[in-house]
Amino acid sequence: AQTVTQSQPEMSVQEAETVTLSCTYDTSESDYYLFWYKQPPSRQMILVIRQEAYKQQNATENRFSVNFQKAAKSFSLKISDSQLGDAAMYFCAYSSSTSGTYKYIFGTGTRLKVLA
Amino acid sequence: NAGVTQTPKFQVLKTGQSMTLQCAQDMNHEYMSWYRQDPGMGLRLIHYSVGAGITDQGEVPNGYNVSRSTTEDFPLRLLSAAPSQTSVYFCASRGGGKRTDTQYFGPGTRLTVL
């Protein structure tokens, strides 16, 4: 069975600095998607970035980028120039359709604090 | 285009009561799912549907029922609420045919069972 692990329950970063959130996953499938979702205090789940496993190029979205290491099954999120609005829970998620079930599997989350 | 909507936003039940959490999406998405979120445990899949008339169990289905009579709606029913079902519930939908695509979430329902 697939698993997603986020080993950092909480992280802190100074405003304008860079922080990296870690995520590892386990799967025997070759075709899958990886996601980072942000959950601010409003509780809304917001997609931050997605990565398709068959693409070697790391995905980027403005200040957010990933370091996707397929062989190591690692998918970290880098936030550059951190802003107060980045403070939230961040969830890593895995999804694959090759098993035919189309399920998402989430990690337990990392709470990011941004210090002014 | 409202995306994924959920009602109610908050609910308090007594043990043994029943209720239905409503979920609707206006994006013509085939796939819909229900998750529960508990502290320290991330989101766990309760039930999901790959199209109207088709549902299946997720990781934590006990105590919950679902049905999918239309593409738009995917209600979650608690038949006899228990304190262990106190949680935040999210509905999500996704398009994408045979390839996995981005999942969109509703705003969540905070349920407390006394």
Side-chain angles (χ1 to χ4, degrees), chain B residues 55-69:
Chain B
T55 64
D56 205 349
Q57 296 181 352
E59 181 184 356
V60 287
N62 292 341
Y64 308 95
N65 277 357
V66 293
S67 60
R68 184 99 179 269
S69 56

Side-chain angles (χ1 to χ4, degrees), chain B residues 3-20:
Chain B
V4 181
T5 58
Q6 290 182 239
T7 56
K9 291 187 177 179
F10 301 93
Q11 183 70 49
V12 179
L13 292 178
K14 295 181 179 179
T15 297
Q17 286 185 316
S18 63
M19 79 159 296
T20 299

Side-chain angles (χ1 to χ4, degrees), chain A residues 15-110:
Chain A
E15 197 176 4
E17 297 295 310
T18 296
V19 65
T20 298
L21 308 184
S22 300
C23 174
T24 59
Y25 59 96
D26 188 24
T27 184
S28 58
E29 298 173 333
S30 59
D31 187 15
Y32 50 88
Y33 285 68
L34 296 164
F35 305 84
W36 279 99
Y37 280 89
K38 171 185 178 181
Q39 187 180 43
S42 67
R43 219 169 53 204
Q44 181 70 49
M45 295 287 286
I46 303 165
L47 177 68
V48 175
I49 200 165
R50 55 179 269 173
Q51 174 79 41
E52 297 162 9
Y54 66 90
K55 290 186 176 180
Q56 293 188 343
Q57 186 174 6
N58 289 328
T60 62
E61 288 288 342
N62 300 316
R63 297 183 294 108
F64 298 87
S65 61
V66 298
N67 183 4
F68 174 47
Q69 302 289 330
K70 190 172 184 178
K73 297 179 182 175
S74 171
F75 182 61
S76 60
L77 174 70
K78 185 172 81 171
I79 306 174
S80 304
D81 187 24
S82 297
Q83 300 175 359
L84 295 177
D86 295 333
M89 282 290 288
Y90 287 82
F91 291 95
C92 178
Y94 166 100
S95 182
S96 169
S97 63
T98 56
S99 62
T101 57
Y102 308 97
K103 297 179 193 176
Y104 271 55
I105 300 169
F106 287 84
T108 53
T110 296

Side-chain angles (χ1 to χ4, degrees), chain B residues 8-94:
Chain B
K9 291 187 177 179
F10 301 93
Q11 183 70 49
V12 179
L13 292 178
K14 295 181 179 179
T15 297
Q17 286 185 316
S18 63
M19 79 159 296
T20 299
L21 306 184
Q22 301 291 345
C23 174
Q25 52 92 8
D26 61 0
M27 298 174 282
N28 200 32
H29 283 169
E30 296 177 61
Y31 309 117
M32 297 185 75
S33 303
W34 276 102
Y35 295 88
R36 60 177 289 173
Q37 183 180 21
D38 302 295
M41 300 190 73
L43 278 75
R44 292 183 293 169
L45 182 64
I46 303 172
H47 285 285
Y48 66 100
S49 170
V50 299
I54 306 170
T55 64
D56 205 349
Q57 296 181 352
E59 181 184 356
V60 287
N62 292 341
Y64 308 95
N65 277 357
V66 293
S67 60
R68 184 99 179 269
S69 56
T70 67
T71 299
E72 295 77 19
D73 300 299
F74 190 43
L76 177 72
R77 297 182 185 85
L78 283 71
L79 302 178
S80 179
S84 61
Q85 294 178 305
T86 294
S87 187
V88 178
Y89 291 85
F90 287 96
C91 179
S93 76
R94 178 180 64 79

